[in-house]
Amino acid sequence: MIAILKHGTTPEQMQHLVDWLKHMNLDVHISEGAEVTVLGLIGDTSRVDMELLKSLEMVETVKRVSEPFKQANRKFHPKDTIVEAGGVRIGGGYFAMIAGPCSVESEEQIIEVAQAVKASGANILRGGAFKPRTSPYAFQGMKGEGIKLLLKAKEATGLPIVTEIMNISTLDLFADVDIIQVGARNMQNFDLLKELGKTKKPILLKRGLANTLQELLMSAEYIMSEGNEQIILCERGIRTFETATRNTLDLSAVSVLHNLTHLPVVVDPSHATGKANLVAPMAYAAAACGADAIMVEVHNNPSCALCDGAQSLTPPQFDELSRKVRRIREAIV
Ligand code: PEP
Ligand code: MN
């Protein structure tokens, strides 16, 4: 349930109302905007007398929120959330370009790629250290050592870093990581989400291979329900009957999510298509439909990459993509 307060309500009046609502065992989330203040009520709202609440002098309207996601809901929080990570902002008009290899493979590789993508305009470095691979015999990532190398690349370039967590037992290793990624395969690992909700770290939450947008938002809600509101949602392609691409990029997800939620949305055209020659066109489409960030895999030698070489761009290819994405952004905003 939400209660929209009238313009001109004093802080004292609002506090009085909030105390009364809390007294009914409700959690109250306050979202103050320039135009309106919204009180989002979470808990058993069936006992709230809507007519009584509506009749209060300071209350403009009261509405039930039918969607199961509450804190992630734009009705609860009309203003766009701006996520801040290592000095970079994402959402609410701030656009981020995230680039880097699928996996960290060596110090030379990650530093070379980090310097190249930075020179081409990327403002966040990606790189997997813990890799969720379909085969247990495939390269599983450099793990803790990989995170150390990412931190070296961060020191060398000043770029904030994003890398994936697979198990909460490794959380200590992420102390200096700027954004923690939850991969598609862990989108509904609810225990992991709840633990990440207790941290203050920005979380990049990828959509599961076969999950609906409502399920993605419910996963965000798990993180938010523990107190962490710094979440970036990621569309990375979903499973369909189509086999021409690795996954099917659901670009309409960007607009659907922007309507439903205040959280920023990043598009990953690399995992969505699985093919390097399709990454740039889908990145342009993502920028054109208003994505708040684009995340692209870049490798200094894709044919020798230990993971996802077929979808990785070379630094010159990324340079062209980055230039064109910037031009598209200028055209649409
Ligand atoms: C990744 O970004 O490295 C990754 C494994 O992606 P996804 O979880 O979307 O498959
Ligand atoms: Mn990858």
Side-chain angles (χ1 to χ4, degrees), residues 101-103 126 131 206 246 268 270-271 297 307-308 311-312:
C102 179
S103 309
R126 66 149 284 145
K131 295 303 304 175
K206 292 190 122 186
R246 183 177 179 183
D268 170 352
S270 304
H271 292 90
E297 286 186 343
C307 184
D308 286 350
Q311 67 193 34
S312 298

Side-chain angles (χ1 to χ4, degrees), residues 22-262:
K22 283 190 174 166
H23 208 71
M24 287 190 269
N25 265 339
L26 297 171
D27 257 348
V28 184
H29 290 260
I30 305 168
S31 169
E32 280 179 283
E35 299 299 315
V36 286
T37 296
V38 178
L39 300 186
L41 314 183
I42 298 180
D44 181 9
T45 53
S46 62
R47 286 180 307 163
V48 179
D49 183 341
M50 265 181 94
E51 293 311 312
L52 175 64
L53 192 55
K54 265 186 208 166
S55 71
L56 299 179
E57 200 195 312
M58 72 198 88
V59 176
E60 179 82 48
T61 45
V62 179
K63 288 182 200 156
R64 289 217 175 266
V65 173
S66 50
E67 294 86 4
F69 49 96
K70 309 291 179 190
Q71 296 188 57
N73 203 313
R74 198 181 270 288
K75 289 176 189 158
F76 257 54
H77 187 292
K79 257 197 326 192
D80 288 340
T81 284
I82 299 172
V83 172
E84 287 206 45
V88 173
R89 292 180 177 158
I90 308 167
Y94 293 99
F95 181 78
M97 184 72 87
I98 308 170
C102 179
S103 309
V104 180
E105 297 172 5
S106 68
E107 180 168 343
E108 300 70 47
Q109 174 243 19
I110 191 65
I111 293 199
E112 193 177 319
V113 176
Q115 285 169 338
V117 297
K118 184 184 178 180
S120 298
N123 52 0
I124 299 177
L125 175 67
R126 66 149 284 145
F130 292 92
K131 295 303 304 175
R133 303 301 301 275
T134 303
S135 166
Y137 308 117
F139 174 59
Q140 304 284 306
M142 292 182 77
K143 308 191 167 81
E145 198 50 41
I147 293 188
K148 282 190 195 150
L149 297 182
L150 277 168
L151 291 170
K152 281 195 176 173
K154 174 180 170 175
E155 205 177 290
T157 58
L159 291 176
I161 55 174
V162 54
T163 192
E164 178 169 351
I165 193 166
M166 285 171 59
N167 192 309
I168 200 63
S169 65
T170 62
L171 183 62
D172 287 351
L173 299 173
F174 290 73
D176 298 318
V177 167
D178 299 283
I179 304 175
I180 300 180
Q181 177 172 319
V182 175
R185 290 152 192 84
N186 267 316
M187 188 202 90
Q188 288 189 314
N189 182 339
F190 300 120
D191 285 344
L192 177 64
L193 300 177
K194 279 193 273 187
E195 290 304 317
L196 292 173
K198 293 175 189 156
T199 73
K200 299 258 176 291
K201 291 274 182 203
I203 308 295
L204 192 156
L205 177 63
K206 292 190 122 186
R207 180 180 183 179
L209 275 68
N211 286 110
T212 64
L213 294 174
Q214 176 156 311
E215 286 164 342
L216 173 62
L217 289 168
M218 290 311 292
S219 291
E221 194 76 16
Y222 262 95
I223 300 170
M224 298 180 93
S225 68
E226 297 291 338
N228 186 352
E229 297 172 359
Q230 294 279 291
I231 302 169
I232 307 155
L233 302 170
C234 179
E235 165 56 38
R236 45 77 74 207
I238 49 174
R239 276 261 161 99
T240 69
F241 51 81
E242 183 55 70
T243 54
T245 46
R246 183 177 179 183
N247 292 290
T248 297
L249 179 59
D250 177 12
L251 264 191
S252 58
V254 177
S255 300
V256 172
L257 290 171
H258 277 158
N259 285 323
L260 293 175
T261 181
H262 49 89

